[in-house]
Amino acid sequence: MISENSIRNFSPDDIDNFFTAFKNIVNEDIYYINTTPPSLEMVRSWCERNIEKNMIHVIMSNDCQLAGSCDIYQREHEGAPHIGVLAIFVVKEFRGNGIATKLMQEVLIRAKSRGIEKIELEVLANNHGAIHCYKKFGFFQEGKRQNAKKLKDGSYVDALLMAKFL
């Protein structure tokens, strides 16, 4: 069982569980743009860099399994540090329980407190649950990348570019 109190900052101790959960999301081949999971070393490097830079990254978990993760990193190029890029996932067996909503609430509060003015994200057009969640939080579609992902069956899925001003 996952409780709202289980939202906490991501830590180095979470990297292995994060990797396992993320790998499983990618392997579903439905909702994530990549078709091949990154290596544990790549994920570890990315996570350690985000921890070192004090990026916003929260997770929900029970005693032994990560249920969901949400992070926002600030764009680092000149003229864009006011923009944060959001990434979120909920592990399959925990979907439909409001975890994404709770994670989003938390990271948006933290982003605003850090002076981030705009949040951007990319979502596959077939991920209706995620799109519904984003719209509930006031995200709007800014653009679309047509045929952004080719599925195993040979069909294509567009990627929607969404944003929200804080």
Side-chain angles (χ1 to χ4, degrees), residues 17-165:
N17 285 337
F18 177 85
F19 171 72
T20 299
F22 184 66
K23 180 177 68 172
N24 291 337
I25 298 288
V26 173
N27 284 334
E28 285 182 57
D29 197 39
I30 302 171
Y31 302 127
Y32 196 73
I33 193 74
N34 291 6
T35 56
T36 305
S39 67
L40 175 58
E41 294 75 27
M42 184 180 290
V43 169
R44 184 176 307 283
S45 174
W46 177 83
C47 290
E48 288 171 349
R49 177 183 171 273
N50 285 352
I51 291 168
E52 180 181 307
K53 291 185 168 243
N54 196 28
M55 298 291 186
I56 299 167
H57 191 172
V58 297
I59 62 169
M60 286 186 79
S61 63
N62 59 19
D63 292 335
C64 58
Q65 186 179 9
L66 187 133
S69 170
C70 190
D71 62 84
I72 295 176
Y73 74 85
Q74 282 181 263
R75 294 215 184 266
E76 295 178 343
H77 56 278
E78 185 179 352
H82 66 289
I83 298 173
V85 179
L86 182 136
I88 186 171
F89 69 78
V90 176
V91 174
K92 188 175 188 173
E93 50 268 33
F94 293 102
R95 292 179 191 150
N97 294 304
I99 291 172
T101 297
K102 292 171 184 153
L103 290 169
M104 288 278 288
Q105 287 170 334
E106 183 66 25
V107 297
L108 292 175
I109 289 168
R110 292 180 186 207
K112 189 167 187 159
S113 74
R114 290 192 186 189
I116 296 175
E117 300 170 22
K118 181 183 181 186
I119 304 294
E120 298 176 338
L121 62 89
E122 181 175 310
V123 61
L124 292 177
N126 63 344
N127 194 344
H128 304 291
I131 293 166
H132 175 76
C133 182
Y134 299 143
K135 286 182 176 180
K136 182 170 66 173
F137 279 95
F139 282 83
F140 59 92
Q141 185 175 328
E142 277 194 314
K144 177 169 57 172
R145 292 190 311 115
Q146 293 182 317
N147 295 349
K149 179 176 183 174
K150 187 172 186 175
L151 301 176
K152 289 177 183 173
D153 68 3
S155 64
Y156 295 91
V157 179
D158 296 340
L160 306 180
L161 309 176
M162 298 183 78
K164 170 187 176 65
F165 291 99

Side-chain angles (χ1 to χ4, degrees), residues 3-15:
S3 73
E4 193 166 333
N5 295 333
S6 65
I7 294 178
R8 62 179 176 78
N9 288 329
F10 184 85
S11 78
D13 293 338
D14 297 312
I15 293 173

